[in-house]
């Protein structure tokens, strides 16, 4: 399955900007800053970029203003919008465009100022009701996306005996990583007892079980592997990637405890020719604490139902058996609406060995898993150093 | 004027009736209403569900008392097999349990929702 594309493309530049609060700057401006950092990091100039992938939470025609603002003239464009997983999902079409020769350097970029935006989230939600209707869910007023993840957590507890303590262990592990990351926005050490004492928002998820709402932009640059060798940083190769979608609404998904990550993960591992035991570091899209548990299971790091027990005793925290969400995750590092590009940036930095205090020693293979909507879209990518190709 | 399945569904609700669909070809119970069966592509006919089901999952949305207080959101697996979002009424939201048998309790006052209550 796509085995001939294994390792043929590498990520050669990464950038972030406007992390936290981008006061005074627009979404496009922080996107442009992150894009510029990523292109500089790749040792390229913006004029070398002839492929673009991007998506916006708000603007359905987003690729065009991005092309206009950055002054691009791309021969490859993809603006597929699958929610937060989009910027992992964009990898495969970018790989195909690069390998086919349609383009030679792809910029993947995203920016959001949802924290400081003058448009309130309630206004956005209200507009979305009309423009993006879900008439079989909206009238019940689920506090979505949270309520659907809450029902996934409740169902997981019912089926497998997962506990609030297990969820708290995910939150504490993310925070422990964040204390080692100077870019993380929540760095105060946190205990399990503090997490368990937090007020519920949509049972069984409390304030600490939810990701942050921040500003932020992230970007990365991909080129063919042969060209990557001549650029400044050690290339990070895409060994395998796949995307699957089971639907949009939680009420229409076949299961809330087993996601399409089962299939995206299986396909990505098959393309990479690797197994979960060979992953050195995993970046799993943790919009909510239950996500980490679901994806550990669905991607094969532990059997279905064992995720809660897997995260106990600091197994995914610094010093644990599987480093997970080493930047602090959406729970403690940053979450500007759609987070897929940020986990990709963190994985690349881990494989470059530039993560300072939070560096996973000797990391050669990283797994990035993006999630979008309400457990609706799932995109997996397995990245590796040159030695793993 | 001919109406699509969505308008037909809400017309049923406006008259206090709940309907789901069944596939003419494979027999699959389908919710929400569509033109073709999402499983096999077959045509769909309206059926009146027997009214019973089981809670697949549930949550209590916390809301300040002055804004109306906490409320229940649940997913119910109907006896026919389809799953839908609903609110469980007649008991405190915290008492809703996964696996609890429930019964159709009528259409909500907004005529956009269907409500379920614990089976007596």
């Amino acid at each position: 399955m796509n085995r001939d594309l294994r390792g043929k493309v590498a990520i050669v530049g990464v950038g972030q900007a406007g992390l936290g609060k981008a006061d005074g700057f627009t979404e496009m401006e922080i996107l442009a800053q992150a894009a510029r950092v990523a292109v500089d990091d790749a040792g390229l100039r913006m004029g070398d970029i002839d492929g673009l992938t991007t998506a916006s939470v708000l603007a359905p025609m987003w690729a065009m203003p991005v092309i206009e603002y950055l002054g691009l003239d791309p021969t490859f464009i993809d603006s597929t919008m699958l929610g937060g997983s989009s910027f992992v999902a964009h990898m495969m079409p970018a790989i195909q465009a690069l390998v086919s020769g349609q383009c030679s350097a792809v910029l993947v970029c995203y920016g959001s100022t949802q924290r400081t935006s003058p448009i309130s989230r309630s206004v956005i939600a209200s507009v979305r009701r009309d423009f993006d209707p879900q008439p079989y869910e909206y009238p019940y007023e689920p506090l979505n996306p949270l309520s659907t993840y809450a029902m996934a957590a409740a169902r997981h507890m019912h089926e497998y005996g997962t506990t609030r303590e297990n969820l708290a262990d995910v939150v504490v592990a993310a925070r422990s990583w964040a204390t080692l990351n100077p870019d993380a926005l929540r760095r105060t050490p946190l205990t399990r007892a503090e997490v368990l004492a937090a007020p519920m928002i949509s049972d069984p998820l409390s304030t600490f079980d939810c990701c942050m709402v921040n500003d932020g932009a992230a970007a990365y640059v991909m080129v063919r592997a042969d060209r990557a060798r001549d650029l400044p940083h050690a290339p990070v190769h895409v060994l395998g990637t796949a995307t699957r979608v089971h639907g949009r609404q939680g009420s229409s998904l076949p299961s809330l405890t087993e996601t399409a990550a089962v299939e995206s993960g299986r396909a990505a591992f098959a393309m990479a020719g690797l197994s979960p035991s060979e992953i050195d570091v995993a970046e799993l899209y943790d919009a909510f604490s239950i996500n980490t548990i679901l994806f550990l299971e669905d991607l094969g790091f532990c059997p279905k139902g064992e995720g809660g027990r897997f995260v106990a005793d600091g197994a995914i925290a610094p010093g644990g058996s599987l480093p997970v969400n080493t930047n602090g995750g959406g729970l403690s590092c940053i979450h500007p609406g759609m987070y897929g590009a940020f986990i990709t940036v963190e994985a690349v930095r881990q494989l470059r060995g530039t993560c300072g205090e939070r560096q996973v020693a000797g990391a050669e293979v990283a797994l990035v898993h993006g999630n979008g909507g309400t457990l609706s879209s799932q995109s997996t990518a397995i990245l590796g150093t040159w030695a793993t190709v | 004027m001919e109406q699509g399945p969505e308008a037909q569904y809400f017309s049923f609700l406006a008259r206090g009736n709940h309907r789901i669909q069944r596939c003419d070809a494979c027999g699959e119970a389908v919710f929400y209403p569509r033109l073709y069966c999402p499983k096999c592509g077959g045509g769909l006919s309206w059926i009146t569900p027997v009214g019973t089901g089981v809670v697949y999952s549930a949550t209590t949305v916390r809301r300040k008392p002055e804004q109306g207080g906490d409320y229940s959101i649940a997913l119910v697996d109907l006896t026919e097999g389809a799953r839908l979002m609903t609110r469980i009424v007649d008991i405190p939201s915290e008492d809703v349990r996964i696996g609890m048998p429930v019964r159709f309790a009528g259409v909500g006052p907004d005529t956009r929702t269907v409500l379920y209550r614990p089976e007596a």
Side-chain angles (χ1 to χ4, degrees), chain B residues 62-84:
Chain B
R62 302 295 178 165
R63 187 170 56 179
K64 290 174 185 158
E66 59 269 28
Q67 291 171 345
D70 299 346
Y71 59 95
S72 137
I73 297 285
L75 300 178
V76 165
D77 288 334
L78 303 184
T79 299
E80 287 77 8
R83 180 176 300 160
L84 47 71

Side-chain angles (χ1 to χ4, degrees), chain A residues 37-368:
Chain A
V37 173
V39 171
D40 285 351
D41 187 57
L44 299 174
R45 299 153 70 107
M46 200 58 84
D48 296 323
I49 298 298
D50 60 358
L52 173 73
T53 88
T54 189
S56 161
V57 172
L58 301 177
M61 290 189 262
W62 187 238
M64 292 184 283
V66 171
I67 289 167
E68 181 179 279
Y69 194 96
L70 297 178
L72 302 175
D73 183 17
T75 52
F76 165 70
I77 302 152
D78 186 354
S79 198
T80 303
M81 173 53 173
L82 296 175
S85 68
S86 300
F87 310 90
V88 183
H90 290 168
M91 274 185 212
M92 180 53 85
I95 290 168
Q96 288 171 329
L98 287 162
V99 170
S100 74
Q102 184 181 344
C103 64
S104 60
V106 176
L107 170 67
V108 180
C109 54
Y110 171 73
S112 169
T113 52
Q114 62 169 17
R115 173 75 198 280
T116 55
S117 167
I119 309 168
S120 77
R121 297 180 82 213
S122 61
V123 168
I124 293 168
S126 158
V127 170
R128 202 177 288 286
R129 270 170 187 260
D130 293 330
F131 286 12
D132 189 11
Q134 292 181 275
Y136 308 97
E137 288 203 352
Y138 283 148
Y140 300 96
E141 299 179 70
L143 197 60
N144 266 344
L146 169 58
S147 289
T148 298
Y149 290 89
M151 288 193 285
R155 183 73 196 183
H156 203 276
M157 291 172 166
H158 174 78
E159 287 183 29
Y160 303 116
T162 305
T163 63
R164 286 268 313 137
E165 285 75 12
N166 297 146
L167 297 176
D169 287 343
V170 171
V171 178
V172 170
R175 183 62 61 91
S176 304
W177 283 110
T179 63
L180 305 176
N181 179 6
D183 284 340
L185 297 170
R186 285 181 178 164
R187 302 190 65 203
T188 312
L190 194 60
T191 65
R192 190 199 239 196
E194 287 172 296
V195 177
L196 292 173
M200 289 291 171
I201 308 179
S202 190
D203 300 32
L205 300 184
S206 73
T207 49
F208 278 123
D209 292 293
C210 304
C211 63
M212 291 176 281
V213 175
N214 316 115
D215 297 346
Y220 62 93
V221 175
M222 305 170 82
V223 301
R224 281 185 296 279
D226 54 350
R227 187 177 187 204
R229 285 198 297 269
D230 304 326
L231 298 175
H233 291 286
V236 169
H237 296 260
V238 184
L239 304 178
T241 181
T243 296
R244 294 290 188 280
V245 176
H246 280 168
R248 167 73 191 277
Q249 310 176 94
S251 55
S252 295
L253 295 174
S255 168
L256 287 183
T257 56
E258 186 171 300
T259 74
V262 171
E263 295 142 85
S264 68
R266 194 183 293 138
F269 275 115
M271 178 175 163
L274 294 169
S275 63
S277 64
E278 294 171 279
I279 299 296
D280 299 317
V281 54
E283 311 296 345
L284 311 176
Y285 194 128
D286 58 339
F288 301 94
S289 55
I290 186 64
N291 295 33
T292 305
I293 289 173
L294 289 174
F295 300 147
L296 284 168
E297 297 171 355
D298 289 348
L299 296 168
F301 291 104
C302 65
K304 179 49 71 182
E306 291 299 314
R309 286 167 284 280
F310 185 88
V311 301
D313 306 319
I316 62 170
S321 55
L322 178 68
V324 172
N325 296 342
T326 50
N327 60 351
L331 295 172
S332 282
C333 178
I334 190 161
H335 190 281
M338 298 198 288
Y339 175 60
F342 298 84
I343 44 178
T344 306
V345 169
E346 173 66 10
V348 169
R349 289 176 171 167
Q350 285 288 345
L351 296 181
R352 285 180 176 179
T354 59
C355 282
E357 268 194 280
R358 70 183 190 282
Q359 178 64 45
V360 175
E364 297 279 346
V365 182
L367 182 143
V368 178

